[in-house]
Amino acid sequence: MLCNAADMDQIVDEVWACLHAGANARKERAPFTMLQVATIALDGAPAVRTVVLRRVSREQRSVMFHTDVRSTKVAELRRDPRLSLVGCDLDSGIQIRLHGIARIVETPSETKAVWDASRPRTLIVYRTPLAPATPVASPAEAHATTHAKDPDSSAGFENFCLIDVTVSRIDYLDLNPAGHRRASLVFEEGEWRGTWLAP
Ligand SMILES: Cc1cc2nc3c(=O)[nH]c(=O)nc-3n(C[C@H](O)[C@H](O)[C@H](O)COP(=O)(O)O)c2cc1C
């Protein structure tokens, strides 16, 4: 059964507001700043990890995070760009699940401005010559290379990419004690269409 339009609009507004707050959080983290991203591993098994939500555009139905082009998730997304993201606000009892298609943004013309605008300490991870998941004899071996002083601010830029996800489906769950609500929102013919689901 379709939600009535007002309910649906409210939920769509709430979802994007939560995501915007997550991406725009500065020192104060918002509940949706960290999301878990699931991909399909190269062997077909599920794979999941935490990322920082960096940019959200409701108009483009897009959420974005930063990652290392050498990471396992990028290899997985090159093979199958479908992914799903989940976050929750423990205080309000809201869970938001997003389903979409990832675009790996790695051309310097698209990544350079984002790199330049990023805080230096968030870029350290890209400067190590060790690709993520490289076996090391001890954690110290990776620290030594990661923390090597490098005066060149573009060092590591070649390892930096953005994952831009176009969201096609949203699953919203509200565990309000007054009554749980779950809605499925699908983007069709230029608009979000909602259906209530049993929680
Ligand atoms: C709080 C937190 C935030 C993280 N943010 C990111 C991120 O924004 N991008 C990223 O690639 N990895 C991030 N990571 C590391 C990933 O969870 C993951 O360990 C790493 O990217 C390797 O994943 P993969 O082997 O599946 O590619 C974060 C980890 C934590 C604990």
Side-chain angles (χ1 to χ4, degrees):
M1 168 182 187
L2 286 179
C3 306
N4 77 44
D7 283 341
M8 192 196 89
D9 290 350
Q10 220 173 42
I11 291 175
V12 173
D13 288 349
E14 182 180 342
V15 165
W16 288 104
C18 287
L19 295 173
H20 272 290
N24 294 329
R26 286 282 159 192
K27 276 199 183 129
E28 311 267 319
R29 284 198 199 103
F32 294 90
T33 298
M34 306 290 169
L35 298 179
Q36 278 67 49
V37 181
T39 50
I40 302 165
L42 299 180
D43 65 359
V48 67
R49 77 287 288 161
T50 303
V51 298
V52 178
L53 183 59
R54 297 287 182 180
R55 203 198 69 188
V56 168
S57 165
R58 177 175 177 166
E59 292 66 35
Q60 292 165 13
R61 289 185 286 130
S62 138
V63 299
M64 190 185 274
F65 59 92
H66 301 172
T67 196
D68 191 312
V69 287
R70 303 167 297 175
S71 66
T72 307
K73 72 180 87 48
V74 170
E76 292 166 353
L77 291 170
R78 286 195 205 283
R79 207 191 61 149
D80 190 330
R82 289 175 300 168
L83 50 63
S84 132
L85 303 101
V86 64
C88 78
D89 180 343
L90 293 174
D91 293 328
S92 64
I94 305 281
Q95 172 182 265
I96 297 172
R97 287 190 282 179
L98 308 173
H99 301 267
I101 298 290
R103 182 171 74 96
I104 302 161
V105 182
E106 51 191 333
T107 51
S109 60
E110 289 183 279
T111 56
K112 190 68 170 71
V114 181
W115 171 271
D116 289 341
S118 298
R119 279 173 288 177
R121 67 174 179 77
T122 68
L123 302 177
I124 289 170
V125 293
Y126 302 102
R127 304 199 204 277
T128 169
L130 297 174
T134 301
V136 286
S138 70
E141 187 184 331
H143 295 165
T145 53
T146 302
H147 297 300
K149 285 254 183 301
D150 194 328
D152 178 0
S153 64
S154 68
F157 175 59
E158 68 281 7
N159 300 323
F160 177 74
C161 72
L162 319 174
I163 304 294
D164 189 6
V165 182
T166 302
V167 179
S168 54
R169 187 159 60 85
I170 297 170
D171 188 296
Y172 167 93
L173 176 66
D174 175 6
L175 292 184
N176 187 321
H180 297 181
R181 296 184 309 159
R182 179 177 174 187
S184 173
L185 303 161
V186 179
F187 195 79
E188 281 172 340
E189 295 173 16
E191 61 175 10
W192 289 102
R193 293 184 175 161
T195 316
W196 292 119
L197 301 176

